């Protein structure tokens, strides 16, 4: 529901209209590589029953899912012009030379590291930095 919630919030906060938007969809695990299990399949179909065609069964209880295509279709259904939607051509699972992929790194190394960062504001001598 991120797409619909974002469009609703943009309309409320900024008066944005879907037909005026230009949308970029960033790199992600693509439909050729992103296999999910039955729990994700069930949750996806409960939320988006009309998007059954975004799932391609692979083996018992598993399917490949194309989230970029699903998000594109949600944007179009909300009124965004398809010509103004620009999905990234990169699959993060195929292009580990460019992007981190938890699923791929776990296969190769058996475990993966974590990163934590903090962004904050500090007040020093009455000045906000």
């Amino acid at each position: 529901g991120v797409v619909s919630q974002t469009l609703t919030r943009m309309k409320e906060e900024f008066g944005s209209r879907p037909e005026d938007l230009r949308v970029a969809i960033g790199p992600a695990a693509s439909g050729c590589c992103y296999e999910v299990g039955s729990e994700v399949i069930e949750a996806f179909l409960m939320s988006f029953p009309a998007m059954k065609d975004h799932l391609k069964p692979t083996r018992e209880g598993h399917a490949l899912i194309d989230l970029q295509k699903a998000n594109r279709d949600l944007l179009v259904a909300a009124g965004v012009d398809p010509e103004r939607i620009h999905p990234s051509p990169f699959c993060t699972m195929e292009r580990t030379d460019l992007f981190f992929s938890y699923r791929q790194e776990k296969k190769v190394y058996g475990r993966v590291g974590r990163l934590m960062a903090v962004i904050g504001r500090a007040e020093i001598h009455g000045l906000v930095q």
Side-chain angles (χ1 to χ4, degrees):
V2 172
V3 167
S4 61
Q5 290 178 33
T6 300
L7 294 176
T8 298
R9 187 69 182 264
M10 288 178 68
K11 181 179 181 179
E12 292 169 355
E13 296 288 324
F14 309 111
S16 301
R17 300 178 325 152
E19 59 271 19
D20 296 332
L21 299 177
R22 183 170 296 276
V23 180
I25 300 175
S30 66
C32 65
C33 300
Y34 190 42
E35 185 181 49
V36 295
S38 58
E39 290 179 7
V40 174
I41 294 168
E42 289 171 20
F44 181 79
L45 291 175
M46 284 186 69
S47 296
F48 310 105
M51 293 194 172
K52 189 175 182 177
D53 64 321
H54 296 322
L55 296 164
K56 292 183 183 172
T58 54
R59 55 194 165 106
E60 184 65 33
H62 292 78
L64 294 172
I65 187 168
D66 193 336
L67 295 178
Q68 276 195 334
K69 184 177 179 199
N71 280 305
R72 182 186 180 284
D73 289 353
L74 289 170
L75 289 162
V76 170
V80 177
D81 181 345
E83 297 295 318
R84 297 175 63 94
I85 301 171
H86 309 281
S88 170
F90 297 112
C91 171
T92 56
M93 292 180 71
E94 289 182 324
R95 296 300 308 267
T96 54
D97 59 318
L98 296 175
F99 307 101
F100 174 76
S101 171
Y102 170 81
R103 287 177 173 233
Q104 292 300 89
E105 299 293 326
K106 189 174 178 182
K107 287 179 193 174
V108 174
Y109 301 110
R111 62 185 178 141
V112 293
R114 298 287 178 263
L115 172 71
M116 185 171 121
V118 176
I119 299 174
R121 292 174 52 168
E123 189 172 326
I124 302 174
H125 306 293
L127 300 173
V128 175
Q129 294 187 350

